[in-house]
Amino acid sequence: GAGVSQTPSNKVTEKGKYVELRCDPISGHTALYWYRQSLGQGPEFLIYFQGTGAADDSGLPNDRFFAVRPEGSVSTLKIQRTERGDSAVYLCASSLVGTTDTQYFGPGTRLTVL
Amino acid sequence: GEDVEQSLFLSVREGDSSVINCTYTDSSSTYLYWYKQEPGAGLQLLTYIFSNMDMKQDQRLTVLLNKKDKHLSLRIADTQTGDSAIYFCAEITDKLIFGTGTRLQVFP
């Protein structure tokens, strides 16, 4: 596709459940990023992949959050034992090579934890 | 530390100019960005400026950068109702740091 795509667009889950959020970056982009946007706030950095490896995961809030990008394209953000405070919009972005390149964002996944 | 600040709200009349301001703290930022977010949508890149520039114009958009004061502004000429959205400035060092966003409301 032409842009970054994310699935699902909406996810409602119960406290304590496990969720997976998927991101398809722009074809050919080697850098991929995850952000979390809480209501009324700007996006906050979670993790950055360069190819298959996590180059910077300093934004992950705790060990319940994990992300993978096994083939250097699609990425999955995984959240274990979800809490109500995890409710937010999770945004994915990609850029051509690295962090100095312009990042293009997907539409996001709205996660609601009941 | 890294911190990007914006005023929360701006209201303008259709046809007037809008000016959205932003201050940042990291002088090593290489690029500064403006993104637009409409309700329920992702972030749309509007424009960006390299840190060694002081102005960039792109159609109705003008970006001004005062590196000494770490102040960035976005001017939208002839503001239209379709410009109503939240505008985020962001600085890039080793990661992209966003401000809290300015909600622009355009009224007829």
Side-chain angles (χ1 to χ4, degrees), chain B residues 26-45:
Chain B
D26 197 325
S27 58
S28 64
S29 297
T30 52
Y31 289 92
L32 294 128
Y33 297 86
W34 285 103
Y35 283 87
K36 175 183 180 183
Q37 188 174 44
E38 294 178 275
L43 291 163
Q44 173 195 351
L45 176 66

Side-chain angles (χ1 to χ4, degrees), chain B residues 12-103:
Chain B
V12 299
R13 188 179 299 277
E14 190 174 18
D16 288 351
S17 292
S18 308
V19 179
I20 302 171
N21 294 301
C22 170
T23 57
Y24 61 99
T25 56
D26 197 325
S27 58
S28 64
S29 297
T30 52
Y31 289 92
L32 294 128
Y33 297 86
W34 285 103
Y35 283 87
K36 175 183 180 183
Q37 188 174 44
E38 294 178 275
L43 291 163
Q44 173 195 351
L45 176 66
L46 281 180
T47 187
Y48 63 93
I49 188 167
F50 189 50
S51 59
N52 69 352
M53 298 170 63
D54 53 19
M55 187 182 90
K56 180 179 179 181
Q57 187 149 4
D58 183 1
Q59 300 182 340
R60 292 191 297 122
L61 306 178
T62 303
V63 179
L64 295 179
L65 175 60
N66 181 330
K67 199 170 181 182
K68 174 176 168 288
D69 294 338
K70 299 190 185 69
H71 182 266
L72 181 73
S73 68
L74 173 70
R75 178 177 180 269
I76 305 172
D78 187 26
T79 313
Q80 302 298 307
T81 54
D83 295 324
S84 295
I86 301 175
Y87 291 79
F88 292 95
C89 67
E91 62 172 344
I92 184 83
T93 52
D94 61 340
K95 56 176 70 78
L96 199 56
I97 305 296
F98 286 87
T100 51
T102 299
R103 181 178 295 275

